[in-house]
Amino acid sequence: MVKKISLIIVILLLALIAYIETPTSSINKNQVLYYGLTNEEQEVSSNADDIFGAPDLEYRLEETKEEDGFIVEVYREYEIYKNRQGEVVKTVATDNTEYIHYAKY
């Protein structure tokens, strides 16, 4: 009997947690789920050069070098900002770099 009651309580708690965590629940109705412009902002700024939404992250090859019998490629992460038409407005280099080592034969 105690096992059944504890199992029901656990199931109810999991269901409550799942409901609270869903973005469409009535508890989360005041949270912002969209990074784009709101209707008021669209009316104020209709310039095509405005940045729209969150930036895309992209790694680009910066250099290729040889170290200790390995070929090392260095990639840097960039934030790519685009406007509503999908045109690149701004590109910003971040501090994140990745190093890929290849054995030289």
Side-chain angles (χ1 to χ4, degrees):
M1 182 71 174
V2 175
K3 286 185 178 182
K4 287 183 182 181
I5 293 174
S6 62
L7 181 64
I8 291 172
I9 290 174
V10 168
I11 291 172
L12 289 175
L13 281 175
L14 288 175
L16 177 67
I17 291 170
Y19 172 72
I20 290 173
E21 290 295 320
T22 54
T24 56
S25 70
S26 61
I27 295 172
N28 298 327
K29 66 181 177 184
N30 293 330
Q31 291 183 352
V32 177
L33 301 174
Y34 180 68
Y35 288 107
L37 299 175
T38 62
N39 288 337
E40 296 93 21
E41 292 171 336
Q42 288 176 3
E43 294 171 2
V44 173
S45 62
S46 61
N47 188 357
D49 291 336
D50 289 337
I51 295 172
F52 177 73
D56 293 331
L57 298 176
E58 176 180 294
Y59 281 95
R60 294 184 181 172
L61 179 65
E62 285 224 324
E63 69 175 300
T64 303
K65 55 188 175 182
E66 266 187 57
E67 289 182 358
D68 300 328
F70 288 94
I71 298 172
V72 179
E73 292 182 346
V74 181
Y75 290 87
R76 180 174 295 275
E77 183 182 50
Y78 286 86
E79 294 177 349
I80 311 295
Y81 294 92
K82 297 180 181 179
N83 61 10
R84 285 190 171 277
Q85 288 74 31
E87 301 164 345
V88 175
V89 176
K90 182 170 71 167
T91 303
V92 178
T94 65
D95 292 334
N96 295 336
T97 54
E98 294 288 330
Y99 298 89
I100 300 177
H101 299 344
Y102 298 102
K104 185 178 178 183
Y105 290 106

